[in-house]
Amino acid sequence: MPRLGPIKRDELIACLRRLGFDGPFPGSKHALMVKGQRRVRIPNPHRADISRDLVARILRQAGIDRDEWERL
């Protein structure tokens, strides 16, 4: 994966799956991806890419550090 930056929703989901997450599963307002007891909210589909800031928050919620993300 390139450096932490904007990414398409489908690419984010594919990367999280490679890191052991299952889903996305429907949630109340957003889809969820699950790994053990950890749940990560995924933004709804939009035309634009997911911003760098939101990707960083998702990775923090998922317990994934930047180095692990960039090694994908």
Side-chain angles (χ1 to χ4, degrees):
M1 185 93 249
R3 284 191 236 179
L4 186 63
I7 188 172
K8 295 187 181 308
R9 181 179 188 268
D10 292 339
E11 292 175 21
L12 174 65
I13 291 170
C15 290
L16 289 173
R17 283 183 180 155
R18 279 187 259 157
L19 291 168
F21 283 83
D22 295 319
F25 302 106
S28 59
K29 291 185 180 183
H30 292 86
L32 300 171
M33 295 198 69
V34 179
K35 180 179 181 183
Q37 296 296 317
R38 193 174 293 263
R39 293 177 178 211
V40 178
R41 286 182 287 170
I42 302 297
N44 294 323
H46 293 86
R47 291 183 186 173
D49 290 347
I50 299 169
S51 70
R52 179 182 189 267
D53 293 334
L54 184 53
V55 171
R57 283 186 273 157
I58 291 169
L59 295 179
R60 206 171 346 190
Q61 186 180 16
I64 300 167
D65 65 3
R66 188 175 182 156
D67 292 332
E68 184 177 6
W69 178 255
E70 292 177 355
R71 280 193 305 258
L72 284 179

